[in-house]
Amino acid sequence: MPEPSLGPPRILPRSEHSISRAHISKSALNVLYGLHKAGYEACLVGGGVRDLLLGVTPKDFDIATSALPEQVRATFRNSRLIGRRFRLAHVHFGPDIVEVATYRASHDKAEDEADARLDGDRILRDNVYGTREEDVIRRDFTVNALYYRIEDFSLIDHVGALEDIDKRRLRTIGDPEARYREDPVRMLRAVRLAAKLELTIEPATEAPLFELGYLLETVPQARLFDETVKLLLSGHGIRSYEQLSRYRLLDYLFPVESAALAPERDRLIRAALTNTDQRVAAGLPVTPAFLIAVLLWEPLQEAMAHQLVRGVSEHDALIKAQEDVLRTQNDLLAVPKRFTLPAAEIWSLQSRLQRRRQPDRLLGHPRFRAAFDFLALRAQSEPDLQSVVNFWAARQEGLDLPIEAETDGESPDGALPRRRRRRRGRRRGAQGASAPPVAADV
């Protein structure tokens, strides 16, 4: 693919842009100054620069430099080199890690074939080093191709990024289809940036998204999972979901058909993602396990129905359905067991919650709260479950709500729910034993 040509860069001095060192992490500044002092050009680049200009607090700061990876390693004793596909350095400052990448160049400038490997159009190894001018055209989107140079605090724009940021527009550098074929994850990144920053994907950049989803099948599973987590659990999940469905990219991540998604399933997913976005905004923890349970709930029900018509017991049908659904999921996007196992527990607790037996024992289950939240989400589209939700909500408050209670939370005769009385253990002689501990609410 011919590389896009560059005109003279637009360079803004410190007085003409809003980026201040006060908003850059101390660790990133230490790396920038350390490289500059060692005689290398060093620039803050990528999402950190973009977010600062958009008024968003960056999650991390990436640095691009003229120094080779080994030279970065020699400059910082607290660094280590990582990656084979894309060789770079991580500089460690306690829990903070600053990523440092050497300027990249076009593959046709490779002196060693091992430094630049392609599989068709897809880049397998990208370790051909060059200048800043060569590096910029190797980047994905214009908004990620601004350079903040530490030696004079200037902002350097080679590709019209400042205008795109001003217009809140997402545009690839070079031919969009070729960029997506080089690295299919860029399609997910386009969706994520548009959702996170509320950018409009310009038509030429958007058009291939409708056609090239199948390329995601070539992406390593671990990388695909990481990108999916960023899409759905970073506070903009509902917008990401809408975009993934629009471009039918969701079909290559989960066992769904975006064009024929059942309304009930769509409502459940939207409710879960809205709740997740609210938790992220409030600074509360979120986990992929809960979202996996939501996204795969309807396929699980269908798989379980197939088992039940064969005369299998409900317990065995659930176990077999879980195995089938998770196997199908892992063919698309492998989810680590540390998330699928909790998701399976959330599923198995649904029938137990609906039976409402042994409530104190269930209240002490480590997945009770997640399973209850899942039940409450289901009740939004399954009104018959509301009395079950009310029952467990009351039990968490220490109230006895009759199983026959109506959805308004009152007992049949209109009396208020009774608060449970704690039983005291019998005394054994003068040194009576204390009452057994009551399971804490989860």
Side-chain angles (χ1 to χ4, degrees):
M1 181 196 75
E3 299 289 359
S5 59
L6 296 178
R10 180 183 175 188
I11 301 178
L12 298 186
R14 175 63 187 92
S15 59
E16 295 181 20
H17 66 77
S18 59
I19 295 179
S20 167
R21 282 170 290 170
H23 299 141
I24 302 173
S25 75
K26 182 179 178 181
S27 299
L29 287 173
N30 285 338
V31 174
L32 288 166
Y33 283 127
L35 288 168
H36 176 56
K37 184 178 179 181
Y40 305 110
E41 183 179 67
C43 297
L44 195 67
V45 68
V49 180
R50 177 201 69 216
D51 289 352
L52 288 173
L53 290 174
L54 287 170
V56 177
T57 301
K59 290 185 65 175
D60 48 42
F61 294 94
D62 296 334
I63 291 171
T65 179
S66 60
L68 297 175
E70 293 74 17
Q71 293 170 328
V72 177
R73 177 72 184 89
T75 302
F76 300 99
R77 295 176 60 187
N78 54 327
S79 66
R80 59 188 292 260
L81 303 185
I82 67 165
R84 296 181 60 189
R85 176 182 178 273
F86 193 92
R87 190 84 164 149
L88 48 78
H90 277 177
V91 186
H92 295 256
F93 296 89
D96 295 335
I97 297 176
V98 179
E99 191 170 279
V100 183
T102 303
Y103 294 143
R104 257 51 177 186
S106 175
H107 285 187
D108 58 17
K109 295 189 177 182
E111 296 180 1
D112 186 339
E113 290 184 2
D115 292 334
R117 289 180 56 194
L118 298 175
D119 179 8
D121 295 315
R122 190 161 61 96
I123 296 175
L124 298 181
R125 189 164 296 181
D126 189 11
N127 292 316
V128 183
Y129 306 122
T131 65
R132 173 168 37 83
E133 290 78 10
E134 292 171 314
D135 183 74
V136 70
I137 58 178
R138 302 292 305 132
R139 295 188 175 271
D140 49 11
F141 303 101
T142 60
V143 296
N144 290 339
L146 284 166
Y147 296 75
Y148 173 81
R149 188 166 53 190
I150 196 62
E151 66 182 67
D152 57 5
F153 317 124
S154 62
L155 195 59
I156 305 171
D157 178 10
H158 292 273
V159 290
L162 290 169
E163 180 181 353
D164 286 339
I165 286 177
D166 185 56
K167 294 182 177 180
R168 302 191 80 86
R169 177 175 62 198
L170 190 66
R171 181 168 58 91
T172 59
I173 298 171
D175 178 63
E177 181 172 338
R179 284 291 185 247
Y180 296 145
R181 288 186 180 278
E182 285 177 352
D183 184 358
V185 166
R186 287 172 176 164
M187 292 187 287
L188 300 182
R189 201 169 296 148
V191 168
R192 176 163 58 86
L193 290 175
K196 173 186 174 181
L197 303 172
E198 299 185 48
L199 304 178
T200 299
I201 304 176
E202 63 99 19
T205 299
E206 180 184 46
L209 298 177
F210 293 99
E211 306 295 335
L212 300 180
Y214 68 91
L215 294 175
L216 294 173
E217 297 172 350
T218 67
V219 177
Q221 294 279 350
R223 189 168 178 232
L224 202 58
F225 178 76
D226 289 343
E227 289 293 335
T228 303
V229 169
K230 292 177 186 176
L231 277 161
L232 301 179
L233 280 90
S234 297
H236 46 81
I238 190 67
R239 291 198 298 271
S240 294
Y241 169 70
E242 291 169 350
Q243 296 268 46
L244 289 170
S245 299
R246 168 178 164 76
Y247 303 124
R248 298 195 66 178
L249 297 175
L250 195 69
D251 305 40
Y252 299 95
L253 303 176
F254 298 99
V256 301
E257 291 185 19
S258 301
L261 196 63
E264 302 80 16
R265 186 178 185 187
D266 183 59
R267 282 196 295 270
L268 182 65
I269 294 172
R270 286 176 177 274
L273 288 170
T274 299
N275 177 267
T276 298
D277 289 347
Q278 291 169 348
R279 289 183 64 86
V280 172
L284 299 173
V286 293
T287 171
F290 187 84
L291 207 52
I292 293 299
V294 170
L295 287 161
L296 301 184
W297 175 248
E298 289 302 325
L300 178 77
Q301 297 305 294
E302 294 171 6
M304 192 170 173
H306 288 311
Q307 294 297 322
L308 290 173
V309 297
R310 296 169 57 189
V312 179
S313 71
E314 183 176 336
H315 175 269
D316 291 345
L318 175 61
I319 298 300
K320 185 64 169 63
Q322 288 176 357
E323 293 174 353
D324 292 344
V325 167
L326 291 175
R327 186 183 306 112
T328 301
Q329 173 60 61
N330 287 336
D331 288 341
L332 293 168
L333 169 70
V335 180
K337 284 189 176 181
R338 67 180 184 276
F339 301 125
T340 58
L341 292 177
E345 288 185 284
I346 292 172
W347 292 332
S348 65
L349 283 172
Q350 295 305 295
S351 60
R352 294 177 64 186
L353 290 173
Q354 288 177 245
R355 287 194 294 268
R356 288 175 271 194
R357 297 172 186 167
Q358 299 179 309
D360 288 337
R361 183 176 180 182
L362 277 181
L363 283 170
H365 194 287
R367 303 295 178 201
F368 169 80
R369 185 66 209 189
F372 171 77
D373 290 343
F374 186 72
L375 182 73
L377 277 181
R378 291 175 56 206
Q380 294 181 20
S381 54
E382 300 177 58
D384 291 347
L385 293 177
Q386 191 57 53
S387 62
V388 185
V389 173
N390 291 344
F391 172 85
W392 287 107
R395 295 295 293 206
Q396 291 177 79
E397 295 296 325
L399 302 175
D400 270 330
L401 192 65
I403 291 178
E404 297 79 15
E406 302 297 331
T407 58
D408 59 6
E410 296 183 356
S411 57
D413 60 2
L416 293 175
R418 293 180 293 107
R419 184 171 294 277
R420 285 186 293 152
R421 296 177 60 186
R422 298 176 184 264
R423 294 184 177 182
R424 291 189 176 185
R426 295 181 178 178
R427 289 184 174 274
R428 296 179 180 177
Q431 303 294 326
S434 60
V438 179
D441 291 347
V442 177

